Amino acid sequence: MSLRDFFEKYPERRYLMFGGKGGLGKTTFSATTAYWLAKQGYKVLVFSVDPQASLSDIFKRDIFGKGAVEIMPNLYAQEVDADQRIKAYQQEIRQKILDMYGLDEVPEEIENYIQAAAAEPAMEESAIFDAVVDIVVSGEYDYYIYDLVPLGHALYYLSMASVYDEWIDKITALRAEMEEYSKVAAVMQRSKESEEDKILKELQYIKQRINTSSGILTDKQRTAFFFVLIPEEMIILDTQKAAGLFAKYNVPLSGYVVNRVIPRELAQQNIPDYLRNRLEMQKGYLEKIENTFGNEVHAWVPEFERDITGLPMIERMAEVVFGGVS
Ligand SMILES: Nc1ncnc2c1ncn2[C@@H]1O[C@H](COP(=O)(O)OP(=O)(O)O)[C@@H](O)[C@H]1O
Ligand SMILES: [Mg+2]
């Protein structure tokens, strides 16, 4: 089944993800699929949380931290800037403290704590996660394509239950931390009860958001997750392992796409031994892929003569993947 057949057969799968190791073509497939679906008349958002701004590279537009940017009719791309998000968080926390205690200025001790917390890796993860939740629950687009960072992260996002646990831990820790400021708090005459209430409300709000988004991203009916692989031994082995992990975490897997296949026709031409050897090597691995993943492979894509950047190259790739763009 081609990718085109896949989307035609499963029109309710509106959350798409391409996973796999770095450099195999996740961003390329994400952008290509987004392009093709947009050409079919769907409103599509392709987004990433990758600080390396690779959607900016592929679309040749600086979109980092700018929200959803229109690339062409129906096609929008967004790159989340986690740092910006963390700054917004800090401001939100400051404002909450000011409002809660009726202050005009955040006490220095608390400000120091806010600064220290922002430097923690968990804060960045949370900021990113929160941004993803915002995007997927927005419901503005027909298709959402989540251009993933390499595999470890993908698993992290997809096993939302553990993320949720982390959140709870973090908030519990925050509460304990707040307790430490009881002296400050006593001066501010806060009402203990109303604080508990607010924290509980916040927890319930977060829980509900996480349930909604994890519900979407792990819903077999609405999500399609594809692995990108290339005809190389280590990658094939890694992909098998990863697929096993996905099964273990109960993350639905929709199939595989194979990238960077050296065109077979070259074998008929007068080519250097170097290339002939690579062709021979790939032949073996392609057979292995065929035997291992067989009818779950939805696309075989050649290695192009240059990088896939800019809409004309994306269109060429879409023609190969989807057999024509109109
Ligand atoms: N089939 C292909 N032919 C030529 N270049 C490709 C092909 N697929 C990907 N590339 C290039 O390989 C690089 C890595 O691809 P990318 O999609 O960014 O990988 P990932 O997102 O998995 O890290 C990019 O420069 C991209 O343009
Ligand atoms: Mg990428």
Side-chain angles (χ1 to χ4, degrees), residues 20-29 54 147-148 259-260 301-309 317:
K21 284 205 151 179
L24 301 187
K26 293 180 296 297
T27 300
T28 307
F29 270 97
S54 42
D147 177 22
L148 293 167
N259 196 11
R260 293 185 171 279
V301 177
E303 169 100 53
F304 284 81
E305 77 286 358
R306 49 152 288 192
D307 278 2
I308 316 291
T309 51
M317 170 108 170

